[in-house]
């Protein structure tokens, strides 16, 4: 990292998702224990997102929040949302990060 970049770039971050509507079925957030690695970019089978075999044997947690619930997780871990049926899943989402200089930064 270039000199001074650690003071501007987040070294820790969380994703925040507040659920405003939920479908009749599906729409669960699944977060895997495995974090992203630069070498993952060269994995075969990757078109968009990530190659699913990277997480096949990884422990995961599935969360099905109700309307008004919020979840926070490390977005650097592989994650997905299961397909929705019978309605829409709408969330208010953003990221919060901590920089080396100390201030929190927020982006979406």
């Amino acid at each position: 990292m270039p000199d001074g970049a650690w003071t501007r770039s987040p070294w820790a971050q969380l994703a925040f998702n507040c659920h405003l509507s939920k479908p009749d079925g599906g729409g669960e957030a699944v977060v895997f224990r495995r974090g992203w690695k630069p070498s993952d970019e060269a994995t075969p089978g990757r078109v968009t997102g990530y190659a699913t075999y990277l997480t096949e044997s990884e422990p995961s947690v599935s969360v099905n929040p109700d309307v008004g619930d919020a979840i926070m997780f490390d977005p650097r871990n592989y994650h997905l949302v299961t397909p929705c049926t019978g309605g829409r899943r709408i969330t208010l989402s953003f990221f919060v990060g901590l920089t080396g200089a100390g201030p929190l930064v927020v982006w979406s």
Side-chain angles (χ1 to χ4, degrees):
M1 193 174 292
D3 280 343
W6 71 273
T7 63
R8 296 183 306 273
S9 300
W11 59 268
Q13 58 183 288
L14 290 173
F16 174 92
N17 293 320
C18 180
H19 292 77
L20 305 177
S21 73
K22 78 181 267 184
D24 296 333
E28 292 90 5
V30 180
V31 181
F32 296 92
R33 184 178 290 171
R34 187 182 193 288
W36 174 86
K37 300 174 188 171
S39 61
D40 294 346
E41 295 299 312
T43 56
R46 182 179 178 273
V47 179
T48 59
Y50 61 90
T52 56
Y53 70 83
L54 291 171
T55 58
E56 286 174 348
S57 63
E58 298 294 331
S60 65
V61 62
S62 178
V63 181
N64 190 6
D66 288 322
V67 171
D69 289 346
I71 62 171
M72 295 179 79
F73 63 94
D74 185 341
R76 296 170 298 181
N77 281 31
Y78 283 103
H79 56 280
L80 59 87
V81 174
T82 62
C84 299
T85 58
R88 296 175 65 177
R89 175 188 186 268
I90 300 175
T91 64
L92 169 67
S93 303
F94 57 87
F95 301 94
V96 178
L98 181 63
T99 66
L104 292 176
V105 292
V106 178
W107 70 97
S108 63

